Amino acid sequence: PSQGRRRVSGTMKSSFLGVLIALVGNSLIGTSFSVMKIAHERNTGGKNYLTIPMWWAGTSLMVLGELGNLVAYSLAKPSLISPLGAISVVVNVPFAYFILGEKLSFRNILGCILCILGGYGIVGVVANNTSEHETVTVEQFEKMAFRPTFMVFFTISVMESIDLIWSRRKTVMTYIWICSLLGGLTVLSIKAVTSFMVITFQGSNQFGNLLPFAIFPILALTLVLQVHFLNKAIADYGTGEVVPTYYVIFTSCAVLGSAILYGDLTDSSKENILVFLLSFIATSAGVYLVANQREGKINIHRTSGEQHIRSIEASDGDDQETLL
């Protein structure tokens, strides 16, 4: 019993360390967006952004943040780390207020509060989780991956993604579902690969088996496609519509897949699962409020600019039609 308690205690410490690293990593990612935005705003001469030091500073912050998330996935469960991505949205609010000079609205404040409360609830679930294993060996992963329930989840994710890509529909939900379904598989693959690496560093080589090398192409392909379609969604529809919807669907796919594959919520009580779900809903609502508020400001400026341009064009023409 004492050994079991020590293992559980060690797992809890590992999970909390993973949460801490994920919070720092996602904060760096959120900051990187604002830094790169400053770089583009200052680039009035139309220089190649690859030659701008500020852009490279933002990119470096993003890389560091993503590396932090990789480490976090090796220390804690995907269902715990994935929802904490909301921090990357929230951290932009104080940064935009103090650095970019944007106004702080009630929606911003309420969204941040909801995200913080939701994140606190999600992390709090860890304290009552008695799971002893945060890393899996190749043999354990093979047994998990070939269970019928996960095979059904994997098949549906892959076939639905192929169908959506093949359909060539350019709606926002098409893009988001492709990114979310593939993103869920990306998270599961990252968890497996980082687990194998941790166990290998501990002295038990996990790369003498072909399975890890079969996971690498899945990880690379899903990641590339996910980034590609996410960029198309943001370019066509803007962050206000894409970010909150993508956060909810992607996190749901990641949590569901992790629960099926790794049994993340198996050892949690019904009360803890309820807290987890309510916390996730609160965090999603917070992301929605923050993202839509910031996009709304952009749309207002664009609309005002379009009206101003159209007004000038009308005044120069023969027909003095009022367009405002």
Side-chain angles (χ1 to χ4, degrees), residues 98-112:
F98 290 107
I99 305 299
L100 300 179
E102 295 184 5
K103 293 182 179 180
L104 192 63
S105 69
F106 174 74
R107 285 174 62 108
N108 291 146
I109 297 173
L110 179 59
C112 288

Side-chain angles (χ1 to χ4, degrees), residues 1 18 29 122 151 196 206-207 235 271 315:
I29 292 171
I122 291 170
M151 291 301 295
F196 301 156
Q206 298 295 301
F207 293 91
E271 291 77 10
S315 63

Side-chain angles (χ1 to χ4, degrees), residues 233-288:
I234 292 175
D236 292 347
Y237 295 96
T239 57
E241 189 172 357
V242 173
V243 170
T245 311
Y246 171 66
Y247 171 80
V248 173
I249 300 178
F250 161 72
T251 305
S252 299
C253 290
V255 170
L256 177 61
S258 187
I260 294 173
L261 178 60
Y262 298 112
D264 281 6
L265 302 178
T266 302
D267 298 318
S268 298
S269 64
K270 293 180 180 179
E271 291 77 10
N272 283 338
I273 294 176
L274 179 61
V275 171
F276 183 91
L277 293 176
L278 292 176
S279 300
F280 173 57
I281 292 172
T283 306
S284 301
V287 172
Y288 174 82

Side-chain angles (χ1 to χ4, degrees), residues 162-202:
I162 293 174
D163 178 63
L164 290 171
I165 294 172
W166 192 263
S167 71
R168 297 188 177 182
R169 291 192 297 269
K170 296 183 179 181
T171 65
V172 63
M173 291 308 299
T174 298
Y175 291 144
I176 289 176
W177 270 110
I178 293 172
C179 296
S180 301
L181 292 169
L182 295 177
L185 298 180
T186 302
V187 167
L188 301 180
S189 301
I190 289 174
K191 174 64 179 178
V193 170
T194 53
S195 292
F196 301 156
M197 293 175 66
V198 168
I199 296 174
T200 298
F201 290 146
Q202 291 174 346

Side-chain angles (χ1 to χ4, degrees), residues 234 237-241 290-300 302:
I234 292 175
Y237 295 96
T239 57
E241 189 172 357
V290 173
N292 273 274
Q293 173 69 13
R294 299 196 68 191
E295 180 69 10
K297 294 177 181 178
I298 296 173
N299 287 337
I300 290 172
R302 286 176 180 169

